[in-house]
Amino acid sequence: MKKIGLISDIHGNATAAREVIQDAKQNGVDEFWFLGDLFMPGPGRSELLHLLLESNTTTFVKGNWDGCLTSVIEEYETINYGDPEEVFIFKLVHYVMKDLTEEELKFMFNIPMTVEREIYGVKFHLSHNLPENFGGGDLIVQSPAENFAKLFEYTDAQIAIYGHIHQPVMRRVGMGDERVVINPGAVSTTQNKDSSYSILKVEECGKWSIEFRNLIHNHKQDLIEARRNDLSYYELYEDTVLNHIHHTHDVEGIDKVNKKYNYVHDLKAWLSDETMLTLMNKFRNKQLE
């Protein structure tokens, strides 16, 4: 039997990721598939990527936050300093990039939108959200069958696995439809304020099953790491991990923090640094070794 850990939406929470991976290994998992959103808004950076690679994570797909990282690098000249939400994304990318090597950035750029894996004759299609759109709310739990059917538009796989919504899901596409959709939940925080992931079990005969697991975290260590690393928007992140209040689109709250810490000034200095501009232009112009 093959046991695969399905993990998604870590969002920079390295302490939760370590606990989830440890729990999975204790339950016989020796391979992981990651469904996107590795960094931001939490404190974890390069150590998170190393953790996944060292834990035999064999499959990565790109999430919407991973796309934010690469988009900022490719489109840095388009920043609107008058848009608090845009400053928020750019400042978090600034935080992450301070710790990533060029090789690690190259890895993030090369993560695909979708991947197909076949285990003992069973084919799985992996994406963060829809195959051509890693953001949006098309695949929330209450979505109609036709939305979930879009996961299968470009594949003959019977099982589609996705992330993004931070809620565990297992359902058939619709009545009489044998295709199955799975979401393992989120490592960072789910709607129940804990961490969730799944163990996919595939037998040599092709029979498969899924086990959903939940872990309740003491977030103290994560917040200690956030303080130690001088995480941008620490107050907003603390509210997210302790109270499950997300501030990604909290324009008023973000604007207050931007002004309090003069983040626009920081970004202007960062985006005028010649070394950083050379690096970003290298990626933008596809001049990668």
Side-chain angles (χ1 to χ4, degrees):
M1 177 187 290
K2 186 77 173 176
K3 290 186 177 182
I4 301 158
L6 306 178
I7 53 178
S8 187
D9 294 271
I10 295 176
H11 288 290
N13 193 330
T15 55
R18 287 191 288 265
E19 291 179 22
V20 163
I21 288 174
Q22 180 182 19
D23 184 79
K25 289 181 176 179
Q26 289 173 345
N27 282 276
V29 168
D30 59 7
E31 177 183 347
F32 292 90
W33 295 350
F34 179 62
L35 300 165
D37 281 358
L38 182 58
F39 305 126
M40 301 181 285
R45 295 179 286 191
S46 63
E47 74 276 14
L48 259 177
L49 182 56
H50 295 164
L51 173 66
L52 293 191
L53 293 174
E54 291 166 1
S55 301
N56 195 30
T57 303
T58 60
T59 303
F60 290 76
V61 295
K62 183 171 289 187
N64 53 302
W65 283 82
D66 307 320
C68 287
L69 172 65
T70 57
S71 292
V72 164
I73 294 172
E74 291 180 319
E75 303 170 14
Y76 67 88
E77 291 179 325
T78 67
I79 183 172
N80 177 5
Y81 291 109
D83 184 342
E85 291 181 84
E86 195 159 329
V87 170
F88 175 72
I89 294 298
F90 269 73
K91 183 57 182 171
L92 286 173
V93 170
H94 176 207
Y95 168 82
V96 171
M97 285 187 66
K98 287 189 289 186
D99 192 55
L100 295 186
T101 66
E102 182 174 329
E103 191 65 27
E104 290 163 349
L105 284 171
K106 182 178 178 181
F107 183 93
M108 296 302 297
F109 265 84
N110 288 335
I111 295 175
M113 290 278 289
T114 64
V115 173
E116 288 198 352
R117 295 294 306 272
E118 187 170 328
I119 306 294
Y120 298 138
V122 184
K123 186 180 290 187
F124 302 88
H125 180 271
L126 281 65
S127 60
H128 184 67
N129 194 50
L130 291 174
E132 295 182 335
N133 182 8
F134 45 41
D138 297 89
L139 300 178
I140 61 173
V141 177
Q142 301 87 353
S143 295
E146 53 263 30
N147 285 23
F148 290 99
K150 293 178 182 178
L151 289 168
F152 299 91
E153 284 186 350
Y154 308 104
T155 178
D156 61 353
Q158 183 187 3
I159 301 138
I161 306 173
Y162 75 107
H164 187 56
I165 66 168
H166 292 216
Q167 271 191 288
V169 173
M170 180 175 174
R171 59 165 287 174
R172 295 193 184 279
V173 170
M175 295 296 293
D177 193 323
E178 294 301 314
R179 295 174 297 179
V180 177
V181 173
I182 296 171
N183 190 310
V187 170
S188 54
T189 51
T190 66
Q191 293 191 2
N192 296 317
K193 303 182 184 179
D194 55 6
S195 289
S196 62
Y197 78 99
S198 300
I199 299 177
L200 173 65
K201 304 173 184 178
V202 188
E203 300 179 23
E204 293 185 14
C205 64
K207 182 180 179 181
W208 66 273
S209 61
I210 194 81
E211 177 186 352
F212 292 98
R213 296 189 61 80
N214 293 278
L215 301 177
I216 298 175
H217 293 287
N218 179 345
H219 294 288
K220 181 178 180 181
Q221 184 58 41
D222 184 44
L223 294 176
I224 288 174
E225 292 185 17
R227 282 291 194 193
R228 183 171 60 235
N229 294 338
D230 193 22
L231 174 67
S232 303
Y233 302 99
Y234 173 86
E235 297 98 324
L236 302 185
Y237 182 67
E238 181 182 45
D239 198 28
T240 297
V241 299
L242 295 182
N243 303 312
H244 199 64
I245 298 174
H246 292 277
H247 293 273
T248 306
H249 303 294
D250 175 13
V251 177
E252 182 178 350
I254 291 171
D255 190 47
K256 287 180 180 179
V257 176
N258 288 342
K259 292 174 180 176
K260 179 179 179 180
Y261 295 102
N262 205 6
Y263 280 158
V264 169
H265 177 270
D266 287 353
L267 285 177
K268 288 181 176 179
W270 178 55
L271 294 176
S272 63
D273 180 80
E274 290 188 8
T275 301
M276 184 55 60
L277 291 178
T278 298
L279 175 63
M280 290 196 287
N281 283 328
K282 186 175 183 180
F283 280 93
R284 185 169 65 172
N285 299 324
K286 313 299 182 185
Q287 297 172 345
L288 306 177
E289 297 179 1

